[in-house]
Amino acid sequence: MATALLRLKDACIRFGGTPVFEGLTTQILENDRICLVGRNGCGKSTLLKAIAKIYELDEGEHFLLANQKLVYLEQDKIYPSGIPTLELLESYGAKTYEARSILDKLGIDPDSTLDNASGGQRRRFTLAESLVSQPNILLLDEPTNHLDLPSIQWLEEYLTKFRGAVVMISHDRRFLENTSNTTWWIDRGILHVNKKGFKDFDTWSSILMEEEERRLEKLNTRLRLETDWLNYGVTARRKRNQGRLQRLHELRSERRDLMQNKVRSIDVNPVNLPRGSKIIIEAKDITKNYGDKTVVKPFSCRILHQDKIGIIGPNGAGKSTLVKMLIGELEPDSGNVKQGTTLKVTYIDQMRANLNPTDTLWQTLCPEGGDQVWIGNETKHVVGYLKEFLFSENQIRGQVSILSGGEKNRLLLAQALASPGNLLVLDEPTNDLDMDTLDLLVECLQQYHGTLIVVSHDRDFLDRTVTSTYVVSASGEVQEYVGGYSDIEDTLKAAKKTTQKTKQKEEAPKTENVSKKLSYNLKREWEELPKKIKILEARNQELEKLLDDANLYEKNHQQFKALSEELQKNQETIDTAETRWLELEILAEEISRV
């Protein structure tokens, strides 16, 4: 049975007297991969900080098993200035080779400092520091933000091999599907636990919501009965009826809570601008160089009306450069770009440059005054429209400067989708958005009748929004694939299988043209292979027992690494030997039939 590394019992945290959660009891087991999900403001980060003891519990117990190291990925950690990242990472206990490897995978220059680093670069370094600290429990709050796709995939692989427990908050569905084996769902202060990973979340949460729907129907029936009694029954002013009246108010409160859990949808009617030509953008052999570095090699494309284009690639590969050339913000070094005569571009960059921090949300949507927002060919009250984007009435009258990163992204989307052009360009729109807001964004983009270009590392988001994808490589090459990210994976797998089959056909005659009987060497190899496989399998059992020692990694990391590498190498040798034995077995059978 797995050991509990950490327990919370009857935990409660209050802000201003209002509980974020109370009576919460849960535990973290060794080798847990827990994804913590819930709406913005539900208390996910608060719970993570309570586990890390950054926030002290107002009530309840926090128990951490002795000699367990817990590391929390901080959002805005301050680092000393003037120290190269490699040296800084080594100061946190990392070996040089470990530090270099992680910095390389996260795209951080080992000789750079963090003095003038961007928020994304600092975020990646904080992740690197968390990973090299060798914790028993690792707490990650939005670890994939500002990571490119290769880095996200590397992190997924790292976490699957990590020998401690992990609790992670992320909006990246595919990342959670690939890494989690347990789901915590916070909903209105209650923690629901499912001992399955995020892949099961939709099915599991639907069952819970259906149960609530049935409960809501029963509440509605009881509420109608109680309301009838209040209106037509014995007067509620009598003292002996006050208890029943109080129950009516409780029922109404309970119903209100249940209704708040229903997912709201955004009704967005995009502007139907005159289309003009069906061709929105046509590029021929466009290139871009910065000094000696080629950012975009000769690339041609034709983007048609209502195309939905996704763009992916490593950080620094030239994705934003490509977009700016296509929409006319940047001149190519060679080649040319033609645009439709009625093209109107709405561009949201990841720096959120379109927002004035001193404006209120109301002023942002109604810069010329008034209280109406044009949505397509009709108007809607600004308060009602912003509520559809999950803003409260108090926020609507507050300044943009007090919004979180995710809320600013939401406001930009509300602004853009109120009166979008016929070409909508979104650069990393999913950063800092929770899953509910992401679903709402997907819904908006599915309603949008214009042309879409979106730069994103979110694989699930691309699968649900785009019709084709441009893959930009670090060398500057751009290749178009039909469909989203999963379609690219399927295409590459199919191409790999075709290549393997071709290779097998080319090599097959060499095996078949062996003598009418097995040669002495082939026969000896055939007989010796099972013995070799048996020896390797026995050694692997020994290695697995050694690696099962939970303290080995901390006591002797080099030995742990060497044993792990030997185990992997042995398994690869076994696989090769089994394949070879099967080939010789088939060959021997064919010869015996001749």
Side-chain angles (χ1 to χ4, degrees), residues 347-367:
Y347 182 27
I348 300 179
D349 67 8
Q350 56 184 312
M351 302 307 293
R352 308 185 183 98
N354 292 342
L355 295 179
N356 183 344
T358 61
D359 283 347
T360 64
L361 278 66
W362 189 310
Q363 289 171 326
T364 301
L365 269 293
C366 301

Side-chain angles (χ1 to χ4, degrees), residues 101-171:
S101 174
I102 287 181
L103 290 173
D104 176 65
K105 295 298 183 183
L106 295 177
I108 303 171
D109 182 356
D111 298 320
S112 66
T113 67
L114 297 175
D115 297 2
N116 298 311
S118 66
Q121 290 169 325
R122 285 177 171 272
R123 178 83 172 156
R124 292 200 301 274
F125 182 82
T126 305
L127 176 58
E129 181 202 339
S130 301
L131 296 179
V132 301
S133 299
Q134 300 181 8
N136 304 101
I137 302 175
L138 181 60
L139 308 178
L140 302 174
D141 194 346
E142 295 291 358
T144 64
N145 272 5
H146 307 292
L147 295 187
D148 58 15
L149 192 49
S151 298
I152 293 172
Q153 291 173 320
W154 171 82
L155 179 59
E156 289 176 351
E157 185 178 352
Y158 183 96
L159 292 178
T160 56
K161 296 177 180 177
F162 179 66
R163 296 184 70 82
V166 183
V167 184
M168 48 201 159
I169 299 170
S170 178
H171 67 269

Side-chain angles (χ1 to χ4, degrees), residues 14 40 68 87 95 155 210 213 231 365 386 439 447 453 474 492 513 533 550 575 580:
R14 296 186 180 92
N40 274 356
Q68 300 299 301
E87 186 179 334
K95 303 292 184 184
L155 179 59
E210 285 170 6
E213 287 288 343
N231 291 331
L365 269 293
L386 284 171
D439 288 340
Q447 292 182 41
I453 298 177
L492 294 177
N513 288 335
I533 292 170
D575 293 342
R580 179 59 176 162

Side-chain angles (χ1 to χ4, degrees), residues 22-207:
E22 57 184 341
L24 187 150
T25 298
T26 191
Q27 60 184 359
I28 300 173
L29 307 178
E30 55 186 354
N31 298 318
D32 265 349
R33 300 288 184 274
I34 300 167
C35 64
L36 176 54
V37 300
R39 292 183 175 177
N40 274 356
C42 72
K44 298 189 298 295
S45 295
T46 300
L47 177 56
L48 214 59
K49 289 177 180 178
I51 292 171
K53 299 211 80 172
I54 295 171
Y55 290 162
E56 290 294 331
L57 297 177
D58 292 312
E59 295 175 14
E61 300 175 7
H62 180 292
F63 172 77
L64 179 65
L65 193 65
N67 301 318
Q68 300 299 301
K69 184 177 182 181
L70 185 149
V71 171
Y72 170 73
L73 175 62
E74 297 182 49
Q75 296 278 8
D76 300 303
K77 184 170 180 178
I78 298 174
Y79 292 100
S81 61
I83 302 178
T85 54
L86 176 62
E87 186 179 334
L88 194 56
L89 209 54
E90 289 173 330
S91 71
Y92 293 111
K95 303 292 184 184
T96 302
Y97 77 90
E98 289 177 319
R100 285 191 178 277
S101 174
I102 287 181
L103 290 173
D104 176 65
K105 295 298 183 183
L106 295 177
I108 303 171
D109 182 356
D111 298 320
S112 66
T113 67
L114 297 175
D115 297 2
N116 298 311
S118 66
Q121 290 169 325
R122 285 177 171 272
R123 178 83 172 156
R124 292 200 301 274
F125 182 82
T126 305
L127 176 58
E129 181 202 339
S130 301
L131 296 179
V132 301
S133 299
Q134 300 181 8
N136 304 101
I137 302 175
L138 181 60
L139 308 178
L140 302 174
D141 194 346
E142 295 291 358
T144 64
N145 272 5
H146 307 292
L147 295 187
D148 58 15
L149 192 49
S151 298
I152 293 172
Q153 291 173 320
W154 171 82
L155 179 59
E156 289 176 351
E157 185 178 352
Y158 183 96
L159 292 178
T160 56
K161 296 177 180 177
F162 179 66
R163 296 184 70 82
V166 183
V167 184
M168 48 201 159
I169 299 170
S170 178
H171 67 269
D172 190 324
R173 291 172 180 267
R174 195 66 54 82
F175 172 76
L176 294 180
E177 288 174 358
N178 292 342
T179 55
S180 63
N181 59 20
T182 300
T183 304
W184 288 359
W185 178 27
I186 298 183
D187 181 33
R188 288 160 292 158
I190 299 173
L191 181 66
H192 304 278
V193 177
N194 184 22
K195 297 304 291 184
K196 292 182 180 180
F198 188 74
K199 285 183 180 179
D200 189 58
F201 177 74
D202 286 339
T203 302
W204 171 60
S205 61
S206 293
I207 292 171

Side-chain angles (χ1 to χ4, degrees), residues 383-394:
V383 174
Y385 179 64
L386 284 171
K387 280 184 177 179
E388 289 178 336
F389 283 85
L390 310 181
F391 289 107
S392 68
E393 198 159 341
N394 290 336

Side-chain angles (χ1 to χ4, degrees), residues 393-453:
E393 198 159 341
N394 290 336
Q395 286 178 304
I396 293 169
R397 290 173 171 81
Q399 288 190 341
V400 171
S401 59
I402 64 174
L403 297 179
S404 67
E407 288 168 337
K408 288 178 181 176
N409 262 3
R410 233 189 293 153
L411 179 59
L412 274 173
L413 292 169
Q415 183 186 46
L417 294 168
S419 55
N422 53 2
L423 174 60
L424 181 60
V425 181
L426 305 176
D427 195 348
E428 295 294 352
T430 66
N431 278 353
D432 302 311
L433 295 184
D434 65 7
M435 289 183 188
D436 283 333
T437 308
L438 271 174
D439 288 340
L440 294 174
L441 173 58
V442 169
E443 181 183 336
C444 289
L445 296 180
Q446 289 171 346
Q447 292 182 41
Y448 176 62
H449 298 314
T451 305
L452 173 70
I453 298 177

